[in-house]
Amino acid sequence: MSTSTQNFTVALAAAVIAIVLTVASSITFVESTSVARVAVDAPQAIHLAARK
């Protein structure tokens, strides 16, 4: 394999890893914000249930 092909392969692998990590962190962020939203909404839901 020539040096330019190796450089391209390494760059492509780095790009794929970066994309995978970005997607994974985005999914984690969305899940954590939805959990936080549930934690914030829980007291309101409890009060509404208690009124009925």
Side-chain angles (χ1 to χ4, degrees), residues 21-39:
L21 290 177
T22 303
V23 169
S25 65
S26 298
I27 290 170
T28 304
F29 176 77
V30 168
E31 286 178 354
S32 67
T33 53
S34 63
V35 168
R37 210 174 298 129
V38 168

Side-chain angles (χ1 to χ4, degrees), residues 2-45:
S2 67
T3 304
S4 62
T5 305
Q6 284 180 324
N7 289 347
F8 177 78
T9 305
V10 170
L12 185 63
V16 168
I17 290 170
I19 290 168
V20 168
L21 290 177
T22 303
V23 169
S25 65
S26 298
I27 290 170
T28 304
F29 176 77
V30 168
E31 286 178 354
S32 67
T33 53
S34 63
V35 168
R37 210 174 298 129
V38 168
V40 169
D41 291 344
Q44 291 177 329

